[in-house]
Amino acid sequence: MSILNSTLSIFALGGINEIGKNMYVLQYEEDIVIIDCGAKFPDENLLGVDLIIQDISYLQKNKDKIRALVVTHGHEDHIGGIPYLLKQLSIPVYATKLTIGLIQLKLKEHGLLRATELMMINEDSKVDLGTINMTFFNVNHSIPDCLGIALHTQEGTVVHTGDFKFDLTPINEKYPDLHKMAEIGNRGVLLLLSESTNAERPGFTLSERIVGEHIEDAFHKANQKIFISTFASNVYRVQQIIHAAHKTNRKIALLGRSMVNVVNVAAELGYLSIPDGTLIEATEVNRMAPEEVVIICTGSQGEPMAALSRLSTSSFRQVTVMAGDTVILASSPIPGNEKSVSRIIDNLFQLGANVIYGSGNTTGMHVSGHAFQEELKLMLTLMKPKYFIPIHGEFRMLQQHRILAESVGVKRDNIFIINNGDVVDINNAVASQTRRIQAGEVFVDGLGVGDVGKIVLRDRKLLSEEGMLIVVISLGKADGKIISNPDIISRGFVYERAAEDLLKEVNQLVISIINNSQQSNGNRRNDLKHNLKKAIEKLLYTQTKRRPMILPFIIEI
């Protein structure tokens, strides 16, 4: 469905009713601007899927109208899908200095760096994109160089906050630009899109600066090696770890590819200050006294292949967690990751480690990078929008954000709770939501993008839960008679030696069906395979109450 030329239209292709793969689109007349292009990681039900990105069918159909992709900050759920977008669309990318550095890592990996036009912006930039003009304002988050965006059109101004919090004592002393936000609000905001991640949490977010004090205190108390796990992109947290290590005369080793990459980029661009001689290679850890080492690692969300998970099972080749070592989880589990994080914590305790974990308020080792309720209300109050769309959150968070907006004066009828693909049209300052465009999820599996669908995932789920039974049958090509007994191979279904009687029964059933087929159906291979599958499935379910995948192979000799 095409957007009407005379209408200002806003919709999301990701980031609504979910945490992750953010992508928001603004279209006015013949111009389209994309805001963010993230990815999210699959849950345990999406077997074999590496990444989830957006369905960009609408953008592909309207590629001649796309003027730019503008990126609010460098987190994975805002930049992770960029290489896959740029393989389909050749468009310029606007982002801040650190964000560009992180995007370049991804583009280089995908062979797209030379072919991509990267345009650096900051809070003072002004960008003209046809009928859409962009200005920016500084916001705080858990990574440096974050921007909110004001998109100006003849219809009115649309503001996208990006991910934000109001940290009045930030680590890098780049304060939230309250004056510019208020100025934008005073000039008139037609529509506000504001993140909703912490819309259920009352009060204000604590400052990141508080975390540094707790980290330093824990470092002073630790007697052996210190392992501390955090998001690789949380440059502020990494900087505070570096300060604490320097004050306690410890060297730092980095574990995890993403941690090494982000630290290298942030240091090269001047966002991290690392004293000379502080960083060591992981191979040097075991040659140093335990009280002289800090290991910063990835895996705070329980990712099975990340460094912390492998350390917890003593399967990390270069470094080992020993009894008496201190392990700090400087993060809170994202909803859905609690089970895997708890498993890692249990493993670490079994190794004899002193594990510091729990919510940020309990340990002081973590604060959120997302605004709590009072900060969300402050943003609404500064912007004073006529219309409001809560974004970047699950449905309950969007609903809570709606209630907050009403409490500060936004009319209920002017608040739109939408899903990905729902289009909000604004014409002559009147907004409505009556249309949809195609939106959804695309699965990345290895080099394949979009070739894994519901049928493939269903088969993988069946294989993982029930296993499979392979039946290999050799038939004479001329007469269709069985040359030798069928071979029955079980994988993930039953142990063959322990189920000999069952497999013999399957064997006899196969012979019977083939003989009957010769008499009644001739040598129609497809019918024979179908009959074999149905009969074997019925027998196995009767005997075992399981439904493995049945794969009959017929070889004509």
Side-chain angles (χ1 to χ4, degrees), residues 219-237:
F219 278 28
H220 280 294
K221 292 177 180 177
N223 297 319
Q224 295 183 189
K225 293 196 298 295
I226 298 172
F227 296 82
I228 184 164
S229 180
T230 187
F231 290 110
S233 58
N234 195 336
V235 175
Y236 300 135
R237 190 76 44 83

Side-chain angles (χ1 to χ4, degrees), residues 192-207:
L192 174 68
L193 293 86
S194 181
E195 71 133 321
S196 310
T197 310
N198 279 336
E200 299 172 294
R201 303 178 70 175
F204 287 87
T205 317
L206 294 174
S207 172

Side-chain angles (χ1 to χ4, degrees), residues 46-65:
L46 297 176
L47 301 171
V49 174
D50 299 319
L51 210 59
I52 304 172
I53 57 177
Q54 308 83 0
D55 180 345
I56 60 167
S57 301
Y58 179 84
L59 297 178
Q60 289 174 305
K61 292 174 184 176
N62 293 272
K63 60 184 179 181
D64 294 338
K65 299 177 182 178

Side-chain angles (χ1 to χ4, degrees), residues 4-25:
L4 303 175
N5 288 345
S6 60
T7 301
L8 174 62
S9 302
I10 301 94
F11 55 92
L13 294 177
I16 301 288
N17 201 11
E18 63 179 347
I19 302 292
K21 72 177 182 68
N22 293 279
M23 179 184 279
Y24 308 94
V25 180

Side-chain angles (χ1 to χ4, degrees), residues 55-317:
D55 180 345
I56 60 167
S57 301
Y58 179 84
L59 297 178
Q60 289 174 305
K61 292 174 184 176
N62 293 272
K63 60 184 179 181
D64 294 338
K65 299 177 182 178
I66 302 173
R67 302 296 167 245
L69 164 66
V70 57
V71 184
T72 59
H73 65 284
H75 277 156
E76 189 69 19
D77 57 339
H78 296 259
I79 68 171
I82 290 178
Y84 304 98
L85 178 74
L86 295 182
K87 287 177 182 178
Q88 305 295 323
L89 304 170
S90 179
I91 56 176
V93 179
Y94 290 81
T96 53
K97 184 178 179 181
L98 177 61
T99 306
I100 283 181
L102 297 175
I103 292 171
Q104 285 176 326
L105 288 176
K106 295 184 175 295
L107 297 181
K108 186 176 181 181
E109 190 175 307
H110 286 260
L112 296 169
L113 185 55
R114 290 186 177 181
T116 303
E117 184 181 6
L118 295 171
M119 309 295 291
M120 192 176 298
I121 54 174
N122 58 37
E123 63 268 28
D124 297 320
S125 298
K126 296 180 180 180
V127 179
D128 295 333
L129 299 170
T131 59
I132 303 169
N133 301 319
M134 295 190 299
T135 58
F136 308 91
F137 53 93
N138 188 61
V139 295
N140 301 126
H141 189 37
S142 54
I143 186 173
D145 269 11
C146 299
L147 295 177
I149 308 168
L151 301 106
H152 309 282
T153 71
Q154 288 187 352
E155 185 68 40
T157 296
V158 176
V159 173
H160 185 296
T161 65
D163 288 2
F164 76 96
K165 63 188 275 188
F166 287 106
D167 190 343
L168 301 181
T169 55
I171 298 297
N172 63 351
E173 297 186 353
K174 286 195 73 172
Y175 301 95
D177 200 338
L178 296 170
H179 295 292
K180 185 177 280 189
M181 295 180 208
E183 183 181 340
I184 293 169
N186 287 335
R187 290 179 178 175
V189 173
L190 180 62
L191 171 67
L192 174 68
L193 293 86
S194 181
E195 71 133 321
S196 310
T197 310
N198 279 336
E200 299 172 294
R201 303 178 70 175
F204 287 87
T205 317
L206 294 174
S207 172
E208 178 68 31
R209 193 175 293 273
I210 294 172
V211 177
E213 301 168 5
H214 290 277
I215 290 174
E216 188 175 332
D217 182 59
F219 278 28
H220 280 294
K221 292 177 180 177
N223 297 319
Q224 295 183 189
K225 293 196 298 295
I226 298 172
F227 296 82
I228 184 164
S229 180
T230 187
F231 290 110
S233 58
N234 195 336
V235 175
Y236 300 135
R237 190 76 44 83
V238 173
Q239 183 66 76
Q240 294 189 105
I241 295 168
I242 292 169
H243 284 323
H246 186 62
K247 286 185 178 181
T248 54
N249 298 313
R250 291 177 180 262
K251 303 294 185 182
I252 296 174
L254 305 174
L255 299 186
R257 181 165 166 260
S258 60
M259 183 65 71
V260 172
N261 286 340
V262 171
V263 168
N264 286 341
V265 169
E268 183 180 333
L269 297 177
Y271 292 89
L272 276 177
S273 175
I274 307 175
D276 292 341
T278 297
L279 292 182
I280 61 172
E281 296 295 328
T283 53
E284 299 178 64
V285 170
N286 291 330
R287 298 200 294 266
M288 300 186 67
E291 66 274 12
E292 296 178 351
V293 180
V294 173
I295 296 99
I296 310 176
C297 60
T298 56
S300 62
Q301 295 304 310
E303 304 94 319
M305 295 307 295
L308 185 63
S309 178
R310 292 158 61 197
L311 287 166
S312 75
T313 56
S314 299
S315 58
F316 201 97
R317 200 169 32 137

